[in-house]
Amino acid sequence: MSAADDLKVLVTSRNPIILIESREEQAVIDGFRKLVVQASRALFCWSITTGLKRIDMNLDVQKFNDDPLKVLEQIKATQNPGIYILHDFHPYLTDPKIVRLVKEIALQYDMNKHTIVMVSHQIKLPPEIEHFARHFPWEAPDRKEVLEIVNQIAVEWMKVNGRKVSTNQQLLDKLVNNIIGLTRLQVQKLAHGAIYNDGAIDESDLRPVMKAKFELLDLKSVLQFEYDTAGYADLGGQAKLKNWLELRKKIFLGEAEVPGLPPPKGIMLLGVQGCGKSLAAKAVAGIFAVPLLRLDFGALYDKYHGESEKNLRDALQTASLMEPCVLWMDEIEKGLSVSDADEGTSKRILGTLLTWMAERKQKVFLVATSNDIEALPPELVRKGRLDEIFFVDLPTPAIREDIFRIHLGKRKLPVAQFNLAVLAEACEGFSGAEIEQAIVSGIYAALGKGGQLDESTLLSEIKNTYPLSVTMGERLAYLRDWAKNRTVAVD
């Protein structure tokens, strides 16, 4: 059924209170105007500034009542069935008398058949009336409606400027896909900005539109957004991972379809600390050429009961609205290690994530990184929820040479003056992060002597560095042995 049919069923199914959490007040009103034609009930609208008005017919004179208590008394005393849309009414539900009146209206539904519709961006009911209420999810405009809005704005621009908006079907489809999931006003704002900027819809419009969309979804404290990810596809090494991703790219992006073949869901990146799991996660977004969203578990958890799960649900919903994208959960074991010490929060977080992983239809590719897979619940890493587990090991000599080349070049040092093969051999057992830190330490040592970093100074710093493969050798040996027959190497 359509959303309009669902709403009709809800109104005609003896529900005295309906809650709609939405910022699109006018769209809600328009939806109910269409509904009352079939529901044979009067339609009223109330706010603290305009009072109570009947809106399903044109009336020259109406009695205004802007007092929350008195308007409920008026509704209760009215005999004819009505639907009453109350805007931002929830702040008044701290008054016991108002709560009681709402409850009495609900209890008398069989007598008067009044339906109270509370509309606001967020609504929390007191327990006295909560079980009388039903939530109705007011959906964002679908693709067809978004396309209609974009076309309408294009026509308006053409009337003003005397020529058509410059674009093609592929770019128009991309723009529409990028702004699906927003409210109608937000869609109008972004489409207006893209078209009125230069009278064209082109590739240069897509990046700012996606960035603006993420900001409008307003979850910046929990999710970090990065749109320009193409450069990450050129990272050295990780050939097996890159090949695996390339084979699945067209299916993920919807550029190819095979009956019965599900789209790729995600991967786990397990490995030694500092060996490039984060870069590998970014490379996934670069190869797919889609935005990267990073979930911050530190910002996710909240001291109030139930808020952590809500933060996660909001983050996952935002990721779904940003499709196609990569959702990166870094060091996932720190956020999902199930424990009884947190009053069940971690278990509820895990349950929320598992449900989303199993049921999502959107093109959100999950990349989870972990240093300790045994700290994770087994139901998270089983095949079906994730497609594959990749192991990021210590870099080989050839990759260590590439790492030296990259970090020396990044610091404008003369790479040709360094024997990269000698340096790579000297740092056997080093991670990429440890190689970078040796270069940084060498630069400081050279500055202290009043000179520039040279090969001998860098070799000295390498000699004085004890990598994790030494300080935690037993643990890393166990991790590598565990991964040998259970994971796929990225190289």
Side-chain angles (χ1 to χ4, degrees):
M1 293 193 300
S2 67
D5 292 331
D6 291 339
L7 183 60
K8 179 182 177 182
V9 169
L10 196 61
V11 171
T12 57
S13 298
R14 300 168 57 83
N15 292 298
I17 304 173
I18 297 175
L19 306 182
I20 298 179
E21 293 185 337
S22 173
R23 290 181 169 87
E24 296 193 87
E25 293 185 358
Q26 189 57 51
V28 172
I29 290 172
D30 292 341
F32 274 94
R33 276 195 172 121
K34 297 174 183 176
L35 177 65
V36 294
V37 174
Q38 309 168 49
S40 301
R41 283 200 267 176
L43 180 64
F44 298 85
C45 185
W46 178 91
S47 76
I48 192 67
T49 56
T50 62
L52 186 67
K53 296 189 293 185
R54 185 165 181 178
I55 59 173
D56 59 326
M57 58 177 61
N58 294 321
L59 299 175
D60 294 331
V61 180
Q62 298 190 51
K63 180 180 179 181
F64 293 88
N65 194 339
D66 59 9
D67 183 274
L69 185 63
K70 291 181 178 178
V71 77
L72 290 176
E73 291 174 342
Q74 180 178 338
I75 293 172
K76 182 183 176 184
T78 302
Q79 299 298 314
N80 295 327
I83 298 172
Y84 295 85
I85 301 174
L86 309 181
H87 294 293
D88 296 327
F89 197 81
H90 58 287
Y92 310 110
L93 296 175
T94 56
D95 185 333
K97 193 169 184 180
I98 286 180
V99 172
R100 180 61 198 177
L101 271 169
V102 172
K103 184 176 182 179
E104 289 177 355
I105 293 171
L107 289 169
Q108 295 176 6
Y109 180 84
D110 288 340
M111 183 187 307
N112 296 328
K113 290 187 172 53
H114 293 322
T115 298
I116 293 176
V117 182
M118 296 188 188
V119 181
S120 191
H121 73 289
Q122 194 173 28
I123 306 171
K124 185 171 179 61
L125 294 182
E128 295 93 325
I129 57 176
E130 191 173 18
H131 71 283
F132 291 104
R134 291 284 301 276
H135 283 264
F136 182 78
W138 195 261
E139 296 181 352
D142 60 16
R143 194 182 190 286
K144 180 181 177 182
E145 189 173 353
V146 169
L147 180 59
E148 290 174 354
I149 293 172
V150 173
N151 286 334
Q152 181 182 356
I153 293 173
V155 169
E156 292 171 358
W157 188 90
M158 183 181 66
K159 289 179 179 178
V160 172
N161 295 275
R163 62 183 179 87
K164 290 184 177 181
V165 174
S166 175
T167 190
N168 59 48
Q169 190 62 47
Q170 184 181 15
L171 290 168
L172 178 61
D173 289 340
K174 283 186 176 181
L175 177 66
V176 170
N177 290 338
N178 282 354
I179 54 181
I180 286 175
L182 298 174
T183 68
R184 288 153 184 83
L185 288 176
Q186 291 169 340
V187 168
Q188 290 171 358
K189 178 181 177 181
L190 293 187
H192 188 279
I195 291 172
Y196 274 73
N197 178 44
D198 53 6
I201 298 173
D202 52 34
E203 289 287 350
S204 66
D205 293 312
L206 302 181
R207 179 179 176 182
V209 162
M210 283 292 281
K211 185 176 180 181
K213 176 180 177 178
F214 178 75
E215 291 172 349
L216 287 169
L217 293 172
D218 194 26
L219 210 64
K220 296 183 286 294
S221 62
V222 176
L223 288 176
Q224 297 174 10
F225 170 80
E226 187 168 349
Y227 180 82
D228 192 5
T229 60
Y232 294 130
D234 299 326
L235 293 173
Q238 303 176 359
K240 289 183 180 178
L241 172 61
K242 289 180 178 179
N243 182 61
W244 189 93
L245 293 167
E246 288 289 353
L247 292 175
R248 289 157 177 79
K249 180 177 179 179
K250 288 186 177 181
I251 295 294
F252 175 71
L253 296 177
E255 296 172 359
E257 291 185 7
V258 178
L261 183 66
K265 295 182 177 181
I267 58 175
M268 173 75 72
L269 293 171
L270 173 67
V272 181
Q273 291 181 356
C275 285
K277 295 189 298 299
S278 297
L279 291 176
K282 294 177 180 179
V284 175
I287 290 169
F288 286 161
V290 297
L292 176 68
L293 301 180
R294 180 178 180 271
L295 179 64
D296 183 353
F297 275 106
L300 185 71
Y301 279 84
D302 192 284
K303 64 180 179 179
Y304 296 108
H305 181 79
E307 284 299 308
S308 299
E309 302 92 284
K310 182 180 182 301
N311 288 341
L312 178 60
R313 286 194 298 271
D314 290 345
L316 296 176
Q317 181 182 18
T318 297
S320 297
L321 293 174
M322 293 294 294
E323 68 163 334
C325 66
V326 171
L327 177 60
W328 171 27
M329 296 185 179
D330 195 19
E331 297 188 351
I332 192 172
E333 73 274 11
K334 294 181 178 178
L336 292 180
S337 295
V338 176
S339 168
D340 294 326
D342 57 5
E343 298 181 351
T345 299
S346 57
K347 292 181 179 179
R348 294 193 297 272
I349 288 285
L350 175 62
T352 299
L353 179 59
L354 292 177
T355 300
W356 175 80
M357 291 172 69
E359 297 181 356
R360 75 183 186 277
K361 306 297 183 185
Q362 296 81 8
K363 298 171 185 174
V364 180
F365 190 85
L366 177 63
V367 177
T369 63
S370 176
N371 298 317
D372 184 8
I373 197 170
E374 291 191 317
L376 290 170
E379 59 267 37
L380 177 69
V381 294
R382 72 166 175 80
K383 290 290 183 69
R385 288 205 167 94
L386 292 170
D387 298 313
E388 193 57 86
I389 301 174
F390 285 92
F391 185 68
V392 186
D393 204 348
L394 293 168
T396 63
I399 294 176
R400 292 200 296 273
E401 288 188 36
D402 286 340
I403 294 171
F404 273 111
R405 188 178 293 108
I406 290 168
H407 288 295
L408 290 171
K410 185 187 294 185
R411 291 159 178 85
K412 309 298 182 184
L413 293 168
V415 179
Q417 296 180 16
F418 293 84
N419 189 326
L420 300 184
V422 171
L423 292 173
E425 183 180 354
C427 61
E428 175 73 30
F430 278 49
S431 69
E434 289 164 340
I435 292 173
E436 180 181 13
Q437 190 55 44
I439 294 173
V440 170
S441 298
I443 292 172
Y444 278 115
L447 288 173
K449 298 175 184 178
Q452 189 182 52
L453 178 67
D454 56 23
E455 186 174 316
S456 63
T457 303
L458 183 50
L459 285 170
S460 177
E461 289 299 324
I462 292 172
K463 184 178 180 180
N464 293 326
T465 300
Y466 295 95
L468 274 176
S469 60
V470 173
T471 58
M472 299 185 67
E474 296 81 2
R475 183 177 178 83
L476 291 186
Y478 173 78
L479 177 63
R480 297 169 82 178
D481 184 64
W482 183 95
K484 188 180 299 183
N485 298 314
R486 295 179 173 92
T487 65
V488 177
V490 296
D491 284 301

